[in-house]
Amino acid sequence: MKRLLIFFFALFVSFGASLSVAQAEPLGFRRVRATFALGLDCFDVIEGDFGNAADIGMAVYAETTLQLMGYLGLNLRIGSARAFTNKDFLPFDNGVQFIYLTFAPRAYVAPFRKMNLYFYIQPEISLNVFMSNTLVKITGNNGMSGGVGGAIGAQYIIGIVSISAQVFSDYHWKLESVMIGGGITVGISSPL
């Protein structure tokens, strides 16, 4: 986990250092911008007992992003995820379902002057609350788990329509597992 945190910190710092040389930003990039989007992720849990018992899952979520001063922003996401399992610890259930809340500062770079295509990197912290849980023997009776990780992605804005794609990796310390995945969001975006 320490190596993962050091890696994301170094990536975030080097990404931030490159922002001072980005002169090709589109007009209006430095204006405050708000985005609301709905998304779909696919993920897989690897590592540990939780990763060995859970299969690939899907999540639906809503997120809001506030882009401040062009290069910096904040992201808040709430979603529901479901993964099937290959263990039958509880009868009449074959999966694990959880609700999650993720908060992340975000750093943007806009390499094209005439196109609203932004790339971003974000370190994130998340809280998972298990709702339906076949893997209760692994996760325990406490239905909460925290995680830390990061994501990289791209956002394209056409008028007020925002389309984003990202890949992410999170480490969940209670479960000693790593979740990797990616997804796409579609929403509306407007300068404030």
Side-chain angles (χ1 to χ4, degrees):
M1 179 175 128
K2 194 175 188 181
R3 289 181 184 167
L4 185 66
L5 288 174
I6 291 170
F7 171 74
F8 278 114
F9 179 74
L11 194 59
F12 191 70
V13 168
S14 65
F15 187 78
S18 70
L19 295 179
S20 62
V21 298
Q23 299 298 322
E25 65 194 32
L27 297 174
F29 176 71
R30 293 185 189 236
R31 292 180 63 190
V32 176
R33 174 178 291 278
T35 303
F36 177 78
L38 300 175
L40 179 68
D41 273 342
C42 289
F43 63 89
D44 192 12
V45 182
I46 58 174
E47 296 292 321
D49 293 337
F50 188 72
N52 292 336
D55 293 330
I56 294 175
M58 293 190 78
V60 293
Y61 59 89
E63 76 174 5
T64 184
T65 304
L66 187 61
Q67 183 177 348
L68 309 165
M69 302 175 303
Y71 296 114
L72 301 175
L74 300 171
N75 178 272
L76 184 65
R77 176 185 301 168
I78 185 166
S80 177
R82 172 97 176 160
F84 290 106
T85 60
N86 52 27
K87 302 257 184 197
D88 292 324
F89 291 154
L90 294 176
F92 310 114
D93 194 3
N94 61 346
V96 57
Q97 180 177 355
F98 55 94
I99 296 172
Y100 64 93
L101 178 67
T102 301
F103 173 76
R106 184 179 276 188
Y108 289 95
V109 66
F112 306 108
R113 185 157 190 72
K114 296 187 178 189
M115 187 181 344
N116 283 329
L117 177 63
Y118 308 152
F119 296 99
Y120 62 86
I121 183 170
Q122 66 184 31
E124 55 191 27
I125 187 163
S126 64
L127 174 67
N128 301 324
V129 180
F130 293 101
M131 304 303 291
S132 170
N133 188 3
T134 301
L135 304 178
V136 69
K137 287 185 180 176
I138 295 172
T139 62
N141 289 329
N142 183 359
M144 290 188 175
S145 169
V148 50
I152 57 172
Q155 178 182 17
Y156 185 55
I157 300 172
I158 309 164
I160 65 166
V161 176
S162 168
I163 302 169
S164 323
Q166 74 173 10
V167 293
F168 66 90
S169 176
D170 290 327
Y171 176 77
H172 297 274
W173 52 79
K174 177 184 172 189
L175 303 174
E176 296 181 357
S177 62
V178 176
M179 182 182 296
I180 57 171
I184 189 164
T185 64
V186 177
I188 57 173
S189 180
S190 174
L192 298 179

